[in-house]
Amino acid sequence: MNPFLQAYNTVFETAPFEEIKEEHFLPALKEAIALGKKEVEDITSNQAEPTFENTIEALEASGEMVTRVAEVFYNLNSAETNDEIQKIARDFSPQLTEYGNDIMLNAALFERVKAVYEDDQSALNEEQKMLLQKTYRGFMRNGANLSDEDKDKLRAIDNELSGLSLHFGENVLAETNDFELVIDNEADLEGLPEGIIEAAAETAAEKGKEGKWVFTLQYPSYIPFVTYSQKRELREKMTKAFGSRANKVNDYNNTEILKRIATLRYQRAQLLGFENHAEYTLQERMAEHPDKVKTFLNDILEAGKPAGIKEVEELTAYAKKNGGPSEIKKWDFSFYSEKLKQEKFQIDDDMLKPYFKLEDVIDGSFKVAELLYGITFHERKDIQKYHKDVITYEVKDAQDNHLAVFYADFFPREGKRNGAWMTSYRSQKKVAGVDIRPHISIVCNFTKPTKTKPSLLTFQEVTTLFHEFGHALHGIMASGTYASLSGTNVFWDFVELPSQVMENWCYEKECLDLFARHYETGEKIPAEMVERLKASASFMEGYATVRQVGLATLDMAWHATNPENVKDVNAYENEVLKETELLPRVEGSNTSTAFSHIFQGGYSAGYYSYKWAEVLDADAFEYFLEEGIFNENVATRFKKLISAGGTVHPAKLYREFRGRDADPKALLRRAGLLTENAEA
Ligand SMILES: [Zn+2]
């Protein structure tokens, strides 16, 4: 008996983890795919005229069993994996991809979707229109409407692109691994923390250089080195090596590769009827169009640059006073800003941790949700789990009705990947008028309790928990009709609003007093400590903002234009970054050649979204600050925004919440970088 292939006979129909064995996955997937294909065939062979119900809604409902198996499988592969599951993944993933491709390339299916799209839509409600548009665009963006010849061109471009992205990443990796800084004189370690020195000694031993210390361009080695090393010439050496990756005259140079990637993306977009790659990408984003992104970036730059310049001046004065250089170079920035930060705020993890016992922080996040939205969390011991460390809850609404199942999995272990994330085992949707409630999970890697000490979180872990909890609330409070538009299924530059906004509560005394108590004395966290914490969080924010705007501008420069005209990658980048470089540019350095986010990963024409989401969360929280951080009216409006998921365009949704568009300056106001006068 394969548990996936029958009704779940469990509390709230939760996944029957105790019955699920590894050998169930592939047979269940096979059967689920066959069923999904049959469901699609039923749509295409339908003799009746295509309608929203018999085509769009039917397609949305198809493949339910596939989703059920895939959700459990991928969640386990992230949170509780082993060799066997990883082996299964090598079969599982290609089958799933093929199933998806078969649907997207199904010409008969597209004919019906297109017919519904081109038909009169006036009888459809807003949510139905959204689903129709999403479905239709999905096919169109995949080339369903192209001639056979153009379809072939598209596939050829896609193939070349996937090879080039891999090649780009391999070059960055090779250049990152190629460099090492070998130190054999102990005096050259001056300033470095003990743990970093130990790690460097271990790296040296691994490389057969016993008794020496090796530093590399990997982040855990590079970042602490340039932050703490007293040796300016060594920081310079490291910074230059890092900045010139894949930009040197050797086999790993990425300039031609990245130009080719940008050019192919441009051609691909043109083939699909768009002006350029950014326009293609932004069609499915809250920002909608490259012009809007450019205006957005300009607004932030204009508002943030004076603050950034001031910060660099302050840092220069500080360095000079402490026997440093009279001009801050790239390799001085982290070093002096870390020193200045320590001096100014005198705050570190060890001071804060005693106030953040894990159980208290969880409790605190639940209280915040209750105060804002009236929902409550009740631990349940009768819900099956995939590991004994997982805690399971039933979530109830203000009227005590069942709202969701919530899984929380906090501690690291073998078989769990790094980081923190939110996921779901069942999406919310409505079937024949019945509201199917979601099963939501958050997975983290927090400090474990010991025999003598409870789990005490760093402040960053506290904000991480609130962040993931914010994503969870997005899922828990979903109230859509269609799973693919429900909960966190929203545009990509909007999905971080519900999570990031939650982090703001962690800096408010009124909120911290609900739960942040010293685990030994029970004393509340001191107000002045909270103030310092808040101030230190926005330290050098002007500089950081300008830097982020620079990276986003560079991304747009490659993707919102025709890159065929670019001759010299270095000269082009220098020109593009002219307005956003607050420190002198380093000869031989190039950002584009190692900009893996946009040339290897999925952030092309999307780097702006980091700042975009921050603006949204700062602007949204400003509304709470104006009316009270637990104000019922604002909370009710925000709940409406969260519950809507992707059923309404996010720009419209946000306007309904705030009464206007988000103000880019909210971000700098939160950081205290704008006074009323400076704004006028
Ligand atoms: Zn997130």
Side-chain angles (χ1 to χ4, degrees), residues 6 24 52 63 90 169 243 267 306 330 339 344 346 394 446 463 528 530 537 574 582 584 635 642 648:
Q6 45 216 304
H24 293 138
F52 179 81
R90 290 194 278 274
Q267 289 171 354
K330 282 248 161 76
K339 289 227 168 340
K344 267 185 134 165
Q346 296 177 9
E394 178 185 10
F446 293 149
T463 55
E528 60 84 27
V530 178
N574 281 340
L582 296 181
I642 298 183
V648 182

Side-chain angles (χ1 to χ4, degrees), residues 420-422 464 467-468 470-471 495-500 503:
W421 63 95
M422 165 270 187
T464 299
H467 179 106
E468 298 311 329
H471 281 309
V495 75
E496 294 299 327
L497 167 62
S499 53
Q500 284 180 192
E503 296 179 33

Side-chain angles (χ1 to χ4, degrees), residues 129 255 522 529:
K129 280 182 194 160
T255 48
M529 204 186 268

